[in-house]
Amino acid sequence: MTFLIYGANGYTGELIAREAVRRGLRPIVGGRSAEKIEPLARELGLEARAFPLTTPKLDGVDAVLHCAGPFVHTSAPMVKACLDAGVHYLDITGEISVFEAIMAMNDAAVQRGVTLIPGVGFDVVPTDCLAAMLAARLPGATELELAFFTPKAELSRGTLKTMIESIGEGGAIRRDGRIVRVPPAYDARTIPFSCGPRMAMTIPWGDVSTAFHTTGIRNIRVYTGASPKSVARMRRIRSFLPLLGIKPVKRLLQSFANRRSGPGEAARAMGRTYLWGRVSNGVDEVTMTMTTPEGYAFTVLSALAAVERLLASPRRPGSFTPAKYFGAEFVTTIEGVELT
């Protein structure tokens, strides 16, 4: 079975390609620019394919692991290419609109015999699996809250550029089954993470989409750890955020994002992410906590595990969240994950 890592010259894509080779796998590495992708391919002894998404080269490929963001721009043409070629699709997105668009393509995927699984990295495997575990422990839950906290978190260039793309849209929650736009830091509360209580604020994380498709729970909020000062600052600048969505401002912010490189090897090896989840039916509640490796380190492990499992399993065409396809316990198979 052959898979292609598209965007292998990016920060996360390169980490995945190097780990794949370390494990003895032989993926094809792809990207838009031959100048950028071929040196990596030569170093790793892999086949390189340079192509724009308008003219994909997927012959002889069984699955694509799509790592080239912002996915709001790149996922649709790659999904179409995979459907046309009968190739399975996975990506590492965390964007709500991308999840919703891919979930809506279930019928097309079934007709083409293709499996579509977005979000097989830190966005959103740990939280998606945690949501599924909680839902199983309290059938009939009507509310779901998820939170995560990464001390001293660092962002890669690609992650920051993806965030900039949606910066003017504000926050998001799911209310009565519908995704509702809300102001940034719409809600803030203290979360009892396993590493200790921490203030957190709501963010438009991918689980606002995926957790609903995984669990059917109709009211969902996702929080990230933030200091009280950060929460107050975010609320002060709410009225200015739409201005950041203007194209010239976005381009300026993207130029600053290009200077980022992402966490180094030591930070990835030593870093940890702490997660918390709660479900309630209005009377009873269940909570759980989880600890995972640092986000990018986790993404490398979970993305490769997802590709290998998909290619080794019987064909199940359609659109799936990670927990829906691999099961709630998938996250526990990733090295370094601990449940409470």
Side-chain angles (χ1 to χ4, degrees):
M1 292 288 193
T2 302
F3 70 99
L4 180 147
I5 303 171
Y6 191 80
N9 56 294
Y11 176 81
T12 308
E14 182 177 338
L15 291 176
I16 293 172
R18 291 185 181 280
E19 175 62 17
V21 170
R22 191 189 71 79
R23 296 184 183 189
L25 302 175
R26 310 298 298 169
I28 299 169
V29 289
R32 287 179 284 259
S33 168
E35 182 181 358
K36 293 180 179 179
I37 202 67
E38 288 178 355
L40 176 66
R42 285 194 298 270
E43 179 187 347
L44 298 180
L46 301 175
E47 178 186 344
R49 293 189 188 181
F51 58 87
L53 291 172
T54 52
T55 55
K57 300 177 182 178
L58 301 183
D59 51 293
V61 173
D62 298 293
V64 168
L65 176 57
H66 185 43
C67 300
F71 296 92
V72 67
H73 299 309
T74 66
S75 65
M78 182 59 89
V79 169
K80 181 181 184 301
C82 287
L83 290 173
D84 290 344
V87 172
H88 301 310
Y89 170 94
L90 309 93
D91 70 30
I92 54 172
T93 188
E95 296 153 89
I96 291 174
S97 60
V98 174
F99 286 120
E100 288 295 290
I102 292 178
M103 291 302 113
M105 301 185 75
N106 179 72
D107 290 348
V110 170
Q111 290 172 5
R112 299 298 179 91
V114 170
T115 302
L116 309 176
I117 314 176
V120 296
F122 180 73
D123 306 5
V124 291
V125 168
T127 38
D128 192 44
C129 290
L130 184 59
M133 292 178 192
L134 285 163
R137 285 159 173 75
L138 189 64
T142 55
E143 296 179 2
L144 168 66
E145 295 172 319
L146 298 164
F148 65 94
F149 166 52
T150 304
K152 300 180 181 179
E154 297 180 55
L155 300 178
S156 72
R157 176 175 62 250
T159 301
L160 191 56
K161 291 176 77 171
T162 295
M163 294 172 64
I164 290 169
E165 282 299 314
S166 59
I167 197 169
E169 297 176 4
I173 63 173
R174 193 176 282 273
R175 181 185 296 148
D176 297 328
R178 295 176 54 251
I179 295 174
V180 178
R181 285 291 171 182
V182 295
Y186 171 74
D187 185 31
R189 53 171 296 181
T190 299
I191 301 292
F193 294 105
S194 61
C195 60
R198 177 83 182 186
M199 178 64 74
M201 63 181 180
T202 48
I203 60 168
W205 195 249
D207 294 273
V208 173
S209 168
T210 56
F212 172 73
H213 295 286
T214 297
T215 68
I217 297 174
R218 296 172 59 80
N219 297 285
I220 301 170
R221 297 186 185 189
V222 185
Y223 299 77
T224 187
S227 68
K229 287 185 178 179
S230 296
V231 174
R233 187 183 307 116
M234 180 61 71
R235 287 175 169 173
R236 283 198 302 271
I237 66 172
R238 280 174 175 173
S239 58
F240 299 102
L241 288 180
L243 298 176
L244 301 181
I246 299 173
K247 284 187 177 180
V249 179
K250 272 189 182 180
R251 285 197 293 268
L252 178 62
L253 293 174
Q254 298 284 18
S255 68
F256 286 111
N258 284 329
R259 303 175 186 177
R260 301 294 292 266
S261 59
E265 184 177 355
R268 294 194 305 272
M270 299 299 293
R272 292 292 180 269
T273 297
Y274 302 93
L275 299 102
W276 170 91
R278 169 186 173 272
V279 285
S280 170
N281 59 12
V283 178
D284 301 311
E285 67 173 41
V286 177
T287 65
M288 294 178 67
T289 61
M290 178 189 297
T291 303
T292 74
E294 182 272 341
Y296 293 101
F298 179 92
T299 294
V300 171
L301 300 176
S302 66
L304 284 174
V307 171
E308 291 184 285
R309 284 200 177 199
L310 172 61
L311 293 179
S313 64
R315 186 174 287 261
R316 288 173 58 199
S319 300
F320 299 88
T321 64
K324 202 75 172 178
Y325 190 89
F326 300 112
E329 305 302 321
F330 173 59
V331 69
T332 65
T333 69
I334 308 300
E335 183 180 355
V337 172
E338 301 173 7
L339 285 176
T340 304

